[in-house]
Amino acid sequence: MPQNEHIEEHIKRHGRRLDYEERKRKREARAVHKASQYAQKVHGLKAKMLNKKRHAEKIQMKKTIKQHEEKNAKQKSADAIPEGAVPTYLLDREGEDRAKILSNMVKQKRKEKAGKWSVPLPTVRGIAEDEMFKVVKTGKNKTKQWKRLVTKATFVGDGFTRKPPKYERFVRPMALRYKKAHVTHPELKATFCLPIIGVKKNPQSPLYTQLGVITKGTVLEVNVSELGLVTTGGKVVWGKYAQVTNNPENDGCINAVLLV
């Protein structure tokens, strides 16, 4: 027996602990939280190394998911038609070759990622960071300047809970939070007051999308279930996109046009 395989030999002879599987399961469940704690605590060169490692892992994971979502499909092609007589049992397979196709869901995700919609406002004015955020001075002598107060209209979900004020970097005032939008249907020529589901894309910056900032040209997802729109399959359409056409912080309301 090699010198370094005494543990494996012991497992072969005597087996494992009775609670081995349970301990292993718990250890794996804890690993995620431990990794998260370490990632929040680490800084400097170790943080760079950790981020590089996580980046590589995420890329690999995305590739694996993509491979799972691809599926084989048979497609008929004119080139693969055999010459001469073909037996009856082979007639069904005539001119078929296998090709990989992506599921509709993945195609939809790609389209959304590209962010290509035919929108009423294709271009909007850029907003400087000084206009978007106001610097909030904190600390005993008001010397710290890392907090920002959002000066534009925002949307936060129903289950939103603020961070403790001491640690909150971006402050979104209650007075500028909106839950409903006046959405105009371009074909029906009618306007409806609909609940906002979320901010899909703010053209100014991905950070503003993440914060839920609503400016002119922002694409929102609104709840259109009360309009009674149905798909070709007969299912009720629940959420649709709409683009904001006004400056909400000036008007005190959100006006949008439904993207159909």
Side-chain angles (χ1 to χ4, degrees):
M1 180 183 86
Q3 193 178 353
N4 60 345
E5 286 186 4
H6 53 276
I7 295 174
E8 286 83 352
E9 190 63 31
H10 185 274
I11 291 166
K12 276 182 189 174
R13 285 181 186 172
H14 308 290
R16 294 189 182 274
R17 290 174 56 130
L18 296 174
D19 60 349
Y20 169 76
E21 295 298 333
E22 184 63 15
R23 282 169 62 124
K24 187 183 176 187
R25 183 188 65 77
K26 285 182 178 177
R27 196 184 309 118
E28 285 171 359
R30 277 198 306 270
V32 186
H33 300 286
K34 289 186 89 173
S36 172
Q37 281 175 351
Y38 180 70
Q40 288 172 45
K41 186 178 70 176
V42 75
H43 57 86
L45 188 62
K46 285 186 177 178
K48 281 187 178 178
M49 289 163 68
L50 179 75
N51 289 338
K52 192 177 178 183
K53 184 185 164 193
R54 285 290 296 133
H55 182 64
E57 283 174 8
K58 282 179 182 176
I59 289 170
Q60 191 57 46
M61 188 167 65
K62 281 183 180 176
K63 283 181 180 175
T64 312
I65 291 167
K66 195 176 174 185
Q67 283 174 348
H68 281 297
E69 286 178 341
E70 283 181 352
K71 54 185 180 184
N72 288 322
K74 291 179 179 178
Q75 291 180 335
K76 290 201 173 186
S77 62
D79 308 335
I81 297 169
E83 290 180 10
V86 182
T88 322
Y89 59 88
L90 287 179
L91 284 172
D92 291 343
R93 304 184 199 175
E94 188 179 1
E96 275 189 358
D97 58 351
R98 300 188 78 79
K100 278 195 169 179
I101 60 164
L102 285 168
S103 65
N104 286 338
M105 196 166 65
V106 179
K107 284 181 186 171
Q108 186 66 25
K109 275 182 190 170
R110 280 185 180 174
K111 202 180 283 181
E112 283 178 13
K113 203 171 183 184
K116 288 174 184 171
W117 293 286
S118 53
V119 289
L121 299 173
T123 53
V124 287
R125 178 183 70 87
I127 297 174
E129 202 168 303
D130 303 338
E131 190 185 337
M132 182 72 76
F133 300 123
K134 181 187 168 192
V135 178
V136 179
K137 293 182 179 180
T138 54
K140 198 173 181 180
N141 300 318
K142 303 294 177 192
T143 50
K144 295 176 182 175
Q145 300 184 0
W146 57 274
K147 280 195 178 190
R148 297 288 179 271
L149 183 77
V150 181
T151 59
K152 303 287 179 187
T154 54
F155 168 78
V156 293
D158 293 329
F160 171 72
T161 309
R162 277 183 67 183
K163 282 183 182 176
K166 188 179 176 183
Y167 303 112
E168 192 175 31
R169 177 159 159 68
F170 294 104
V171 182
R172 291 173 281 190
M174 289 287 289
L176 285 169
R177 291 186 196 173
Y178 290 85
K179 289 190 175 179
K180 293 202 170 188
H182 302 127
V183 182
T184 304
H185 197 294
E187 290 169 6
L188 298 175
K189 297 284 188 290
T191 305
F192 307 92
C193 188
L194 302 175
I196 301 169
I197 298 171
V199 176
K200 181 66 187 168
K201 190 176 174 68
N202 189 316
Q204 304 291 343
S205 161
L207 171 67
Y208 303 157
T209 307
Q210 193 181 341
L211 287 172
V213 177
I214 302 167
T215 54
K216 193 173 184 177
T218 303
V219 176
L220 304 173
E221 192 173 2
V222 290
N223 188 345
V224 293
S225 55
E226 62 186 62
L227 300 188
L229 302 173
V230 290
T231 61
T232 49
K235 290 183 179 176
V236 176
V237 177
W238 194 63
K240 273 187 96 65
Y241 297 133
Q243 191 184 31
V244 178
T245 54
N246 71 324
N247 293 312
E249 71 278 5
N250 295 346
D251 300 343
C253 66
I254 298 171
N255 298 335
V257 176
L258 203 67
L259 306 180
V260 289

